[in-house]
Amino acid sequence: MPLRFTALEYLLARLNLLPTPLFDVPLSAGISTALYTACKLGLFDSLRTRGQTVSELADRLQCHPQGLLYLLQLLVSSGYLRQHKGRYYNTRISQRWLVSSSRQNLIPYILHGPDLANIWAHLDEIIHTNQAAMKTPYEESTTTAESRQLLERHYAGLAALASMIGPEILRRVPLPQPATRLLDVGGSHAAYSALFCRAYPGLHATVIDLEAGVEAGTHTVQRLGLEQRIQFMCCDIVSDDFPEHFSEPFDVALYFNIAHLLQPEDNQAVLHKVAHTLRPGGLLILVDQLSDQRQRSRLSTLTTQLMQLSVTIIGGTCHPFSDVRYWLERAGMEQIHKHEMLTPGTCFVTARKRNETKKRSGD
């Protein structure tokens, strides 16, 4: 992504004199593999505090110096490293996004990259059938070590995305005060619940998800020391009547990156249950990629289209805002608003639970 054309290359591409398709395949596959390999080695962590020579890095990472040099040179050319007087340094991009001590560390998502790439092996099937060609990680059997590792990488990758998207939502959506109870629907890794709880000291969260998701979230909560403020309930949000398990209403509900996994009728049914758990005036926040959201750039367009295609392969779909608004209205929500996010291709929707007493008094 940091790769930049020179002025001449840009002009040749605009004039269709540069054979860009010739470069798309090797560059995209090669750079993504190099990035994955560097993260797996811990290369960017090794350069977090100071620059190092090839020999120093080879000793530390237990690599052959010449083989490692090829990787380092590629990462310099693609914008992830810089080289000065024989030493290699992280660029600002790598220091922010690819160092494990960073709050916005995306390494787990990069390490999940090959699993995501496997989805595209089924593209031909979708083109010819428009039917789901593979299962989601949640639907796969977890009886083998390989399947369990896949699910662990999946949840870790989603948690890494939360570190990027979550802070913007916190800044832009103040919670109703005094908010003390938050419901995280399908929240698995609990990263969003953790962000909200750390921002609001009086807030307690309940995460509901399948058993594997609860297990992943438990590890997150234990690592952050939030066991007293975040609890879990194991359930299937589609088939289980989870509202009956809560004696008190919630002030806030999160429905983050769930909608694209479910068909319209399932989303409507689940959101009806979510709304039932909220107090009158309670806030619901939905995050997803919507098929009709305004595209501010080619990157936004590509991100949304790739998301639409990939979720279709696993049996989901990106829904238009008109559908989301209909589901929420039917669930008894009002003040429904869509908000574009800085992250290309992503938006969030806010809604308030209708106050039936107020409505009746106004009739």
Side-chain angles (χ1 to χ4, degrees):
M1 188 64 192
L3 191 65
R4 297 288 186 270
F5 279 171
T6 65
L8 177 59
E9 290 167 341
Y10 179 78
L11 177 61
L12 292 174
R14 291 286 294 176
L15 295 174
N16 203 23
L17 297 175
L18 187 70
T20 51
L22 182 66
F23 303 107
D24 278 345
V25 172
L27 284 179
S28 59
I31 293 174
S32 64
T33 303
L35 192 58
Y36 167 84
T37 302
C39 289
K40 188 176 181 181
L41 284 171
L43 174 61
F44 301 111
D45 279 339
S46 297
L47 297 173
R48 181 177 66 86
T49 57
R50 65 181 183 90
Q52 297 189 47
T53 65
V54 175
S55 297
E56 290 171 338
L57 283 170
D59 288 341
R60 181 166 184 170
L61 303 176
Q62 299 183 326
C63 298
H64 190 286
Q66 184 58 49
L68 181 60
L69 179 61
Y70 294 139
L71 176 63
L72 294 174
Q73 290 173 333
L74 178 56
L75 292 170
V76 168
S77 298
S78 56
Y80 290 104
L81 295 180
R82 61 184 179 89
Q83 191 264 355
H84 180 67
K85 294 183 178 181
R87 290 184 173 273
Y88 291 86
Y89 301 82
N90 286 337
T91 60
R92 292 176 61 196
I93 292 173
S94 300
Q95 197 70 6
R96 179 174 186 178
W97 304 107
L98 300 174
V99 170
S100 59
S101 60
S102 170
R103 286 189 175 184
Q104 295 173 309
N105 159 35
L106 291 178
I107 291 175
Y109 190 79
I110 303 299
L111 296 179
H112 184 39
D115 304 317
L116 300 175
N118 288 338
I119 293 175
W120 298 107
H122 300 275
L123 179 58
D124 188 66
E125 297 174 55
I126 284 295
I127 292 172
H128 287 92
T129 68
N130 195 34
Q131 299 293 321
M134 63 182 296
K135 295 179 179 179
T136 68
Y138 318 107
E139 298 171 303
E140 295 286 357
S141 170
T142 57
T143 56
T144 67
E146 182 180 0
S147 61
R148 288 193 295 272
Q149 290 168 1
L150 168 62
L151 202 54
E152 288 172 5
R153 291 192 300 270
H154 177 73
Y155 284 127
L158 292 181
L161 283 183
S163 71
M164 179 182 66
I165 296 173
E168 181 181 352
I169 298 172
L170 279 173
R171 289 193 304 270
R172 295 177 60 185
V173 188
L175 299 190
Q177 292 301 312
T180 60
R181 288 171 53 79
L182 179 147
L183 179 65
D184 193 349
V185 182
S188 61
H189 48 76
Y192 290 110
S193 286
L195 282 169
F196 276 93
C197 283
R198 294 171 85 172
Y200 292 89
L203 190 66
H204 288 72
T206 299
V207 180
I208 57 174
D209 209 326
L210 300 172
E211 182 179 357
V214 167
E215 184 178 342
T218 301
H219 294 318
T220 300
V221 168
Q222 290 174 345
R223 176 171 55 83
L224 297 175
L226 291 171
E227 299 97 320
Q228 301 303 313
R229 298 182 57 200
I230 301 177
Q231 62 181 4
F232 296 86
M233 186 180 80
C234 184
C235 77
D236 184 323
I237 63 172
V238 175
S239 61
D240 293 342
D241 186 17
F242 57 83
E244 68 177 11
H245 295 283
F246 305 118
S247 57
E248 297 181 38
F250 290 90
D251 303 293
V252 186
L254 309 182
Y255 197 72
F256 286 9
N257 295 308
I258 300 297
H260 66 261
L261 297 172
L262 304 178
Q263 295 304 309
E265 60 275 12
D266 289 329
N267 274 304
Q268 182 174 334
V270 174
L271 285 169
H272 181 82
K273 290 186 283 190
V274 174
H276 187 72
T277 68
L278 286 171
R279 65 167 175 80
L283 174 68
L284 186 148
I285 312 172
L286 180 151
V287 173
D288 221 294
Q289 294 78 30
L290 302 182
S291 60
D292 61 346
Q293 65 194 72
R294 181 173 62 89
Q295 304 301 341
R296 297 166 295 171
S297 67
R298 182 170 295 182
L299 180 58
S300 294
T301 303
L302 278 172
T303 302
T304 302
Q305 291 171 344
L306 285 170
M307 183 67 179
Q308 173 72 74
L309 200 51
S310 63
V311 299
T312 301
I313 291 174
I314 61 173
T317 187
C318 291
H319 305 280
F321 175 61
S322 57
D323 283 3
V324 174
R325 182 172 53 203
Y326 174 77
W327 304 333
L328 293 172
E329 289 174 343
R330 296 280 292 179
M333 307 296 292
E334 60 183 6
Q335 302 179 40
I336 302 166
H337 302 289
K338 180 178 69 170
H339 312 265
E340 302 290 338
M341 295 190 68
L342 293 177
T343 303
T346 305
C347 68
F348 66 92
V349 176
T350 56
R352 297 274 184 170
K353 184 173 181 179
R354 189 179 301 120
N355 190 326
E356 295 296 337
T357 303
K358 180 179 178 181
K359 180 182 176 183
R360 286 195 298 270
S361 64
D363 289 343

